[in-house]
Amino acid sequence: MNRNQLIEQIREKKSYLCVGLDTDVTKIPKHLQSQPDGVFQFNKAIIDATKDHCVSYKVNTAFYESQGLKGWEAMEQTLHHIPKTHFTIADAKRGDIGNTSSQYAKTFFEVLPFDAVTVAPYMGEDSVRPFLEYEDKWAIVLGLTSNAGSNDFQQLALSGKNNGGRLYETVLHTVSSWGTPGNLMFVVGATRASDLASIRSIIPEHFLLVPGVGAQGGSLEEVTKYGLNNDYGLLVNASRAIIFAGGGEDFAEKAKIVAAGYQDEMKGLLGA
Amino acid sequence: MNRNQLIEQIREKKSYLCVGLDTDVTKIPKHLQSQPDGVFQFNKAIIDATKDHCVSYKVNTAFYESQGLKGWEAMEQTLHHIPKTHFTIADAKRGDIGNTSSQYAKTFFEVLPFDAVTVAPYMGEDSVRPFLEYEDKWAIVLGLTSNAGSNDFQQLALSGKNNGGRLYETVLHTVSSWGTPGNLMFVVGATRASDLASIRSIIPEHFLLVPGVGAQGGSLEEVTKYGLNNDYGLLVNASRAIIFAGGGEDFAEKAKIVAAGYQDEMKGLLGA
């Protein structure tokens, strides 16, 4: 999916919601846990219930890998069930030397035809480039994450020509020169919404994938206030807050209500 | 496998060689490419031919994932074919917020019972901790990698209390406080052997996993000179230089010759 198609989806739905399919098999309703393809059945119901309220789905690969071969089958089935109108993200946080990153790009752009994959920046340019070489595919590089550990390294102060800046700011600045706002996005956590203003001054045009709204406590209003740009430029992800909104047989209806609630709030924030 | 068992293996074999199974299906001999389980057959032959000369095998997960379900089957078969005497590494470079890293730890320590998994440090402590909570299992965290992109961020100079230091030095120092030399190793690239001396002053006791010898041009002699400690403290990895030493039906014999050559050189360097 290209940038214009994504913007058009957001415009139509007045939603920049991404639903995170962090489908922990131990947390899905009991009646599905016993089924051989319970994870897929759960995701299928969630997708069918929420697709009118979101523009994107993010599959957290860890929860599928930890189920072995069965998990990879569920990931494949899930991806193929997502409507082509929705922007699909493999949240895999990959990154390695060039020839290995090429294999990861093949995995998540060809074998599993996602639109985007999340990428860790620590190994630098040759670890990110292979993800930028596919037409209408995207690398979503970690900038400032929403977890406590983001203080350990991302917030370190730099010296030299980056004097006074933080590591994550240099990551945003440097990585943005490797691609374009048409093939590169950044992960920016919602739990630091006040940092979004300074982030927007470094990368005014790029889409930001913002996790941490909902279960992790971020505020949608603040994220939107500081993160929105002329092309929207935001995908706000909620995972557990939506998919585990209910724990019984009506889990999909409960998920729909929460997703619709986010969409309503977004409509309001967009002034629609 | 625990630290003493690993040290004992190195002492017995006078080898600290790790063979990297970066099994690119397009580079294995033609007669195996056509077989449904060609990747596993290739690995099996390589393992059988090299096991007397190395103490560890490193499986580069990207090359398996890119083959889809069949690739994960090949990875599983390969892992189960490696003798229990050998230290097994999933080179997966994972890392995410705590609840997600827990899933990755489950994947590579339980579903696929590797001894160790490589981990990217960018997301900080809670992204690494779940890998340290398994007895006799290891996190091998990226310190200074061997690729060109390691200059982009790893070598950035820091200010403040880390004044004058490089990012990778703070990563080594900080991460080492989260675990012990019994559950934590670091990836340190061989292409900067001269940096190993300063790295050893930060983490004198930890094992280092050193890629970049062989195809990437690092020198085994320099790595050993600067990296060896009283418990050996080194696992030197060679992948393509060994497994693709030959391209014909005698590929395993060719691999054995190269692996035995590394072992001989290591014996000499250890003064055995």
Side-chain angles (χ1 to χ4, degrees), chain A residues 66 93 103 122 125 143 152, chain B residues 66 96 103 122 125 143 152:
Chain A
S66 66
K93 306 216 167 56
Q103 296 291 320
Y122 191 70
E125 183 169 355
D152 291 321
Chain B
S66 67
D96 206 314
Q103 295 291 320
Y122 191 70
E125 183 169 355
D152 291 322

Side-chain angles (χ1 to χ4, degrees), chain A residues 60-62 65-66 93-94 96 100 103-104 107 111 121-126 143 147 149 152-154 157-159, chain B residues 60-62 65-66 93-94 96 100 103-104 107 111 121-126 143 147 149 152-154 157-159:
Chain A
N60 185 330
T61 56
E65 290 182 25
S66 66
K93 306 216 167 56
R94 298 296 197 265
D96 206 314
T100 300
Q103 296 291 320
Y104 284 128
T107 303
V111 178
Y122 191 70
M123 292 184 69
E125 183 169 355
D126 59 292
N147 60 324
D152 291 321
F153 306 121
Q154 297 166 30
L158 303 179
S159 67
Chain B
N60 184 329
T61 57
E65 290 181 27
S66 67
K93 306 219 169 50
R94 298 298 197 265
D96 206 314
T100 300
Q103 295 291 320
Y104 284 129
T107 303
V111 178
Y122 191 70
M123 293 182 69
E125 183 169 355
D126 58 292
N147 61 323
D152 291 322
F153 306 122
Q154 296 166 30
L158 303 179
S159 67

Side-chain angles (χ1 to χ4, degrees), chain B:
Chain B
M1 183 179 293
N2 68 32
R3 185 177 163 101
N4 284 339
Q5 291 166 323
L6 175 59
I7 293 168
E8 192 50 39
Q9 284 299 315
I10 296 173
R11 181 172 293 127
E12 270 181 30
K13 286 185 180 146
K14 299 282 180 275
S15 169
Y16 40 98
L17 178 65
C18 175
V19 174
L21 298 169
D22 297 24
T23 307
D24 184 337
V25 69
T26 66
K27 289 185 184 153
I28 66 176
K30 290 279 179 288
H31 72 285
L32 289 175
Q33 284 188 26
S34 54
Q35 293 191 25
D37 66 343
V39 167
F40 171 62
Q41 291 302 333
F42 177 85
N43 287 349
K44 184 172 179 291
I46 292 283
I47 293 164
D48 293 344
T50 58
K51 64 186 177 189
D52 292 339
H53 309 293
C54 68
V55 294
S56 178
Y57 289 96
K58 180 169 78 64
V59 173
N60 184 329
T61 57
F63 288 89
Y64 301 83
E65 290 181 27
S66 67
Q67 300 304 305
L69 283 175
K70 210 171 69 174
W72 274 75
E73 266 171 338
M75 182 153 62
E76 200 165 8
Q77 290 175 298
T78 298
L79 176 61
H80 290 298
H81 189 73
I82 297 172
K84 291 280 170 280
T85 45
H86 288 63
F87 188 78
T88 53
I89 302 166
D91 193 4
K93 306 219 169 50
R94 298 298 197 265
D96 206 314
I97 61 172
N99 78 320
T100 300
S101 274
S102 295
Q103 295 291 320
Y104 284 129
K106 188 182 167 196
T107 303
F108 294 110
F109 292 158
E110 296 182 44
V111 178
L112 297 169
F114 284 94
D115 292 308
V117 60
T118 55
V119 176
Y122 191 70
M123 293 182 69
E125 183 169 355
D126 58 292
S127 70
V128 176
R129 279 241 173 255
F131 298 101
L132 301 174
E133 287 167 1
Y134 284 75
E135 198 181 341
D136 295 344
K137 301 283 187 181
W138 301 72
I140 309 181
V141 178
L142 301 182
L144 180 59
T145 59
S146 57
N147 61 323
S150 66
N151 286 318
D152 291 322
F153 306 122
Q154 296 166 30
Q155 294 279 5
L156 286 176
L158 303 179
S159 67
K161 68 172 175 155
N162 307 291
N163 204 357
R166 306 278 160 180
L167 173 61
Y168 80 87
E169 294 174 320
T170 292
V171 166
L172 295 174
H173 181 76
T174 303
V175 175
S176 68
S177 72
W178 301 338
T180 72
N183 64 5
L184 197 56
M185 300 186 183
F186 292 94
V187 174
V188 174
T191 52
R192 297 174 185 277
S194 61
D195 291 334
L196 274 171
S198 75
I199 287 170
R200 270 298 178 214
S201 73
I202 302 170
I203 43 168
E205 290 183 67
H206 291 79
F207 264 82
L208 309 179
L209 172 63
V210 185
V213 165
Q216 290 180 59
S219 149
L220 178 58
E221 189 177 348
E222 284 208 355
V223 166
T224 306
K225 180 176 171 186
Y226 295 108
L228 209 68
N229 68 16
N230 289 338
D231 288 330
Y232 304 109
L234 284 178
L235 287 174
V236 170
N237 181 79
S239 300
R240 288 168 277 178
I242 293 176
I243 70 173
F244 297 131
E249 297 206 1
D250 63 344
F251 69 96
E253 291 160 51
K254 292 276 174 62
K256 183 184 175 71
I257 291 167
V258 177
Y262 278 118
Q263 183 187 30
D264 278 345
E265 196 179 342
M266 288 173 176
K267 275 184 186 169
L269 292 166
L270 291 176

Side-chain angles (χ1 to χ4, degrees), chain A residues 137-174:
Chain A
K137 300 283 187 181
W138 301 72
I140 309 181
V141 179
L142 301 182
L144 179 60
T145 59
S146 57
N147 60 324
S150 66
N151 286 318
D152 291 321
F153 306 121
Q154 297 166 30
Q155 294 278 4
L156 286 177
L158 303 179
S159 67
K161 67 175 177 154
N162 306 290
N163 205 358
R166 304 279 162 180
L167 173 62
Y168 80 87
E169 294 174 318
T170 292
V171 166
L172 295 173
H173 182 76
T174 302

Side-chain angles (χ1 to χ4, degrees), chain A residues 32-70:
Chain A
L32 289 175
Q33 284 187 26
S34 54
Q35 294 192 24
D37 66 342
V39 167
F40 171 62
Q41 291 302 332
F42 178 86
N43 287 348
K44 183 172 179 291
I46 293 284
I47 292 164
D48 293 345
T50 59
K51 65 186 177 188
D52 293 339
H53 309 294
C54 68
V55 293
S56 179
Y57 289 96
K58 180 169 78 64
V59 173
N60 185 330
T61 56
F63 288 89
Y64 301 82
E65 290 182 25
S66 66
Q67 300 304 305
L69 283 174
K70 210 172 69 175

Side-chain angles (χ1 to χ4, degrees), chain A residues 148-208:
Chain A
S150 66
N151 286 318
D152 291 321
F153 306 121
Q154 297 166 30
Q155 294 278 4
L156 286 177
L158 303 179
S159 67
K161 67 175 177 154
N162 306 290
N163 205 358
R166 304 279 162 180
L167 173 62
Y168 80 87
E169 294 174 318
T170 292
V171 166
L172 295 173
H173 182 76
T174 302
V175 175
S176 69
S177 72
W178 302 337
T180 72
N183 64 4
L184 197 56
M185 299 185 183
F186 291 95
V187 174
V188 175
T191 51
R192 298 174 184 277
S194 60
D195 291 333
L196 273 171
S198 75
I199 286 170
R200 269 299 177 216
S201 73
I202 302 170
I203 43 168
E205 291 182 68
H206 291 77
F207 264 82
L208 309 179

